[in-house]
Amino acid sequence: MTNTGSDGGSGPRRAPEVRTTGGRLRGRWHGDLAVFLGIPYARPPVGPLHLAPPTPARPWDGVREADAFGESPPQSRALGPIAGPESATGSGDWLTVNVWTPAPAATGLPVLVWIYGGVYLIGTSDGPTYDGTALARRGAVVVTFNYRLGAEGFGHFDGALPNRGLLDQVAALRWVRENAAAFGGDPDRVTVFGESAGAGSIAALLAMPRAAGLFHRAVAQSVPGPFYGPALASDIAAAVAAGLGAAPTLAALAPVDPGALRDAADAVLRALERYEPRWGRAARARMPFAPVVDGEVLPYAPWEALRRGASRDVELMVGHTRDETRLFTALAGRIGRITEEEAAATLDWFAPGAAGRAAYRRAHPTADPTTLHDLVMSDWLFRMPSLHLARAHTAGGGTSYTYELTWEAPGMGGVLGACHGLDVPLVFGTLRGGIAALLLGEEPTAEAVALSAEMGDAWVAFAGAGDPGWAPHCPGKRLTRVLSARPHTAPYPEETSRRIWTDHEFTALEPVTGAD
């Protein structure tokens, strides 16, 4: 990133500098924004700190250049080219934050802190999709950061503190609280927002005593339902360790190279069908890792915690897309190719019991197998967990706002519908390159540009004042913002699915009883 602009016409503008708790930073101007990249919030979790909770970063002398993203954490290679870039230096300097600010000398700007998704297996703050430029120009300080993934962040090993990826997030939020004012932000107006695994992380943070007071509002975009109990998480960890010929303990695995640990987890991911009898829906959904309801770091599953009143003082906006899992079906080349037998198996695995299976058949008697498969998976994996999180927060005394994105992605020949991840480039305003090119095509339409502005404005307004521009969700009316070509507020659109799942409890998954 290069300096742009000038200082009153007298020459190149001086690079922006700020003082943080770690020391002075020199960023770069990006048009009218000051941007600071690759700032350490914790020490590299390698060597003696491997598989340990995050340790605060060491301070530095002089002025540190903050003009390049930090290294990405190890990325699953089993998911193909969608993983983020990985550095080959092996320094383990993964735990870094990035800041976009419209006015580092200002005070009191709302702060938006992004938590990326990626099945808890992939993700990085590097890259064009999570560029904070457009959101910052709407009047907010935007922060992105890296956290540990896969076995590094969520492997449940004996002797290792669980949920290290979530603890990284807590450490990053502490850094934000301590340093937001240096960038013009208000440490008392911090909003976390995230999608998919990032939204699942936010649901966990809402339930974690260690995260209390670190943020004041939250936006959870497509909350995934899977959270794991200790027995299931330990069983998965044992399978990963067995691939290395090691015990599933901190003592045995701390000396293992992070790349080797990632490869062992990938071997389990590639063979998940073999584990279905024991791991049930966790294996069937191809999710070897998720936050663990361990009773210490994460005392309860988020839905139970929010019903109990956890984070009732945090205003919550939560929503989902209409056709969540259609993206996965399209990328697998299965649009129109799901068989009736496969759709029936999806109902058996993921619908809420025999009554739920029958209700889906009655409500959608003419649905083709692909449509039925995608509907059930979307409900189990994202739509109903998101709705139930809003419902639980309201029941616990909190304020919730809900939305559904129904605008259809024009990419891939128009087969995607309103698919998973479509909200991300729309919120960020990153409508070209990266994932946006797949979802939106090479050039965004006027509708995409207008909807992106609508969503970006709503997210920043919520961060600023706790009001995105529509009525809160309540049990009777269930008012929801429908994000379409003509955004409007209406009763929750997925009433049929809501009724099917109304009595279901989203709880931590455990091994299948009686499995070998």
Side-chain angles (χ1 to χ4, degrees):
M1 185 173 294
T2 58
N3 292 341
T4 60
S6 62
D7 185 5
S10 60
R13 185 163 39 166
R14 185 175 179 180
E17 292 188 10
V18 299
R19 178 175 292 280
T20 68
T21 52
R24 289 199 67 81
L25 293 168
R26 181 182 295 120
R28 294 293 183 266
W29 291 107
H30 182 55
D32 53 345
L33 299 177
V35 182
F36 301 83
L37 305 176
I39 310 163
Y41 70 84
R43 292 171 60 185
V46 293
L49 298 178
H50 190 213
L51 300 179
T55 302
R58 292 191 176 103
W60 58 87
D61 295 324
V63 180
R64 181 186 178 105
E65 298 293 334
D67 58 357
F69 288 103
E71 295 181 13
S72 299
Q75 308 281 302
S76 170
R77 292 174 174 169
L79 298 180
I82 62 174
E86 253 187 67
S87 171
T89 67
S91 73
D93 196 11
W94 311 322
L95 304 183
T96 58
V97 302
N98 318 291
V99 183
W100 287 257
T101 174
T107 58
L109 292 173
V111 182
L112 277 162
V113 183
W114 172 251
I115 303 178
Y116 54 67
V119 209
Y120 307 104
L121 289 168
I122 59 173
T124 174
S125 59
D126 194 352
T129 303
Y130 307 144
D131 185 292
T133 298
L135 278 177
R137 284 180 176 150
R138 298 184 186 281
V141 175
V142 178
V143 180
T144 67
F145 65 88
N146 289 342
Y147 63 94
R148 283 174 284 181
L149 302 160
E152 289 288 331
F154 296 94
H156 197 62
F157 306 117
D158 187 38
L161 199 61
N163 293 307
R164 295 171 298 280
L166 297 177
L167 294 175
D168 290 347
Q169 296 168 19
V170 170
L173 287 167
R174 285 202 187 103
W175 184 94
V176 170
R177 182 180 63 186
E178 294 168 0
N179 293 284
F183 300 92
D186 184 349
D188 293 322
R189 283 202 298 169
V190 174
T191 298
V192 290
F193 70 125
E195 186 263 352
S196 196
S201 295
I202 288 171
L205 291 170
L206 289 165
M208 288 171 57
R210 298 182 194 216
L214 294 179
F215 58 94
H216 311 89
R217 298 180 180 110
V219 184
Q221 305 170 210
S222 301
V223 179
F227 278 66
Y228 296 165
L232 175 60
S234 295
D235 202 12
I236 295 170
V240 173
L244 294 163
T249 66
L250 175 63
L253 295 174
V256 172
D257 178 78
L261 185 60
R262 181 268 319 282
D263 292 344
D266 275 356
V268 172
L269 175 58
R270 293 186 179 100
L272 278 176
E273 293 83 357
R274 172 158 62 94
Y275 295 99
E276 280 182 8
R278 284 171 23 215
W279 298 348
R281 287 171 289 178
R284 186 75 173 190
R286 297 186 57 77
M287 289 185 65
F289 300 105
V292 182
V293 183
D294 64 287
E296 178 186 357
V297 174
L298 182 57
Y300 303 101
W303 301 271
E304 180 179 358
L306 267 59
R307 282 196 301 271
R308 289 169 172 259
S311 295
R312 64 163 60 94
D313 57 336
V314 175
E315 292 154 316
L316 173 65
M317 183 165 74
V318 60
H320 54 74
T321 69
R322 187 190 61 202
D323 308 305
E324 287 280 3
T325 60
R326 180 56 62 97
L327 174 67
F328 311 138
T329 305
L331 291 176
R334 302 304 311 281
I335 297 289
R337 300 177 64 185
I338 301 290
T339 67
E340 179 58 46
E341 291 74 19
E342 289 171 310
T346 299
L347 276 171
D348 288 342
W349 275 99
F350 298 108
R357 292 192 291 273
Y360 271 111
R361 291 291 191 185
R362 287 195 305 272
H364 306 281
T366 62
D368 63 84
T370 298
T371 298
L372 187 59
H373 164 86
D374 284 348
L375 176 61
V376 175
M377 286 303 298
S378 293
D379 280 344
W380 176 79
L381 191 52
F382 296 116
R383 300 200 311 175
M384 295 304 106
S386 298
L387 178 64
H388 283 218
L389 194 73
R391 189 172 76 175
H393 191 53
T394 301
T399 299
S400 301
Y401 298 86
T402 54
Y403 72 86
E404 180 179 74
L405 177 61
T406 64
W407 186 78
E408 298 189 357
M412 293 186 66
V415 302
L416 297 173
C419 66
H420 188 70
L422 179 59
D423 50 328
V424 175
L426 293 173
V427 168
F428 271 91
T430 50
L431 304 182
R432 294 175 177 83
I435 190 66
L438 173 70
L439 300 177
L440 305 177
E442 292 302 319
E443 190 64 27
T445 65
E447 272 191 0
V449 172
L451 182 56
S452 176
E454 166 94 12
M455 294 174 70
D457 284 345
W459 266 237
V460 172
F462 180 72
D467 183 356
W470 59 88
H473 184 94
C474 61
K477 296 181 179 178
R478 292 185 288 276
L479 291 176
T480 300
R481 190 66 170 174
V482 179
L483 297 168
S484 62
R486 294 178 176 82
H488 58 283
T489 303
Y492 181 66
E494 310 305 333
E495 180 64 11
T496 299
S497 293
R498 186 196 70 80
R499 289 179 177 277
I500 292 173
W501 290 83
T502 191
D503 295 326
H504 180 78
E505 296 289 339
F506 285 95
T507 59
L509 301 179
E510 289 288 14
V512 176
T513 303
D516 294 334

